[in-house]
Amino acid sequence: YDSMLRKWKAGKLVLNPGSHVRDAVGNTVFAYLGGNSIWNPGNLPFYRDAITALRDGGDTYAELIEQQVLGGDAFTTQVQAGLKGLLPDTKTVEDMEPGAIARLFMGFGAGIRGSYEYLSELRKLPDDFYKTAAYLKYKSQGMSPAEAAAEVRKWFPYYDRLGSSAAWKQTSRFAMPFSAFFRESTRVLGRAAMERPLALATS
């Protein structure tokens, strides 16, 4: 049963282009609730810098991993090499429209080809993109790296916070295979209801 469930999840999440699009759309909502809407032209510099950090690496990328905004793993180098051919070089794109950036990541999954492991890592790109842009904006507002990372974790799903109780594992196995996302998205929406009700009402 568990083997079949893993294969089914892989088909739904990794191999399905529609899942990539829905993931990107969901992240636009989390970013909006977190005060960093991709549709606000004033936030474009942060999204442009996020593309650069994810594409080229460097000190900013290392800081993102150190602060646990992003995760580091065995495929990081391989993925970053692939991103150089998939993402635009922002040094040559001065006037990036909000809609153009959003469309780039909403349609990202449809054109990816490669091994399952490579594709599963690339699927995280929209998550990493929006989280990186939010982190850069929060730092620009005077937050320390640790404070900016904590703020990002308030407004975006992070599944390492869910715990591993037996009851939770059984719920994820049998009753709600995607319960982790449901639980985290509910947490973010609850936070928005308390701290940013107007943003929630208009999202």
Side-chain angles (χ1 to χ4, degrees), residues 10-98:
K12 290 288 289 182
L13 297 177
V14 178
L15 303 178
N16 180 9
S19 176
H20 295 248
V21 175
R22 287 189 293 272
D23 187 52
V25 172
N27 274 291
T28 64
V29 176
F30 294 133
Y32 175 71
L33 295 176
N36 194 41
S37 172
I38 195 171
W39 305 110
N40 183 345
N43 293 327
L44 286 185
F46 308 114
Y47 285 99
R48 186 181 297 117
D49 291 345
I51 291 176
T52 300
L54 293 173
R55 181 183 186 276
D56 298 335
D59 293 341
T60 300
Y61 191 80
E63 183 178 304
L64 288 161
I65 293 177
E66 179 183 1
Q67 296 299 326
Q68 298 183 343
V69 176
L70 306 181
D73 50 53
F75 293 102
T76 296
T77 302
Q78 180 186 10
V79 171
Q80 195 172 83
L83 294 184
K84 285 185 177 292
L86 292 167
L87 295 179
D89 184 348
T90 55
K91 298 182 182 67
T92 65
V93 185
E94 296 297 332
D95 300 315
M96 297 188 73
E97 305 254 346

Side-chain angles (χ1 to χ4, degrees), residues 65-155:
I65 293 177
E66 179 183 1
Q67 296 299 326
Q68 298 183 343
V69 176
L70 306 181
D73 50 53
F75 293 102
T76 296
T77 302
Q78 180 186 10
V79 171
Q80 195 172 83
L83 294 184
K84 285 185 177 292
L86 292 167
L87 295 179
D89 184 348
T90 55
K91 298 182 182 67
T92 65
V93 185
E94 296 297 332
D95 300 315
M96 297 188 73
E97 305 254 346
I101 296 179
R103 286 192 297 273
L104 171 68
F105 287 91
M106 287 169 61
F108 184 73
I112 298 300
R113 297 292 183 271
S115 69
Y116 173 80
E117 291 82 3
Y118 185 62
L119 181 56
S120 66
E121 290 303 311
L122 286 175
R123 185 187 179 276
K124 298 191 305 183
L125 178 59
D127 289 348
D128 292 350
F129 171 61
Y130 283 92
K131 289 173 181 177
T132 297
Y135 177 80
L136 295 174
K137 177 168 183 176
Y138 299 147
K139 278 192 65 179
S140 76
Q141 295 173 336
M143 294 186 187
S144 68
E147 290 170 338
E151 191 70 11
V152 173
R153 293 178 75 88
K154 280 174 56 177
W155 299 109

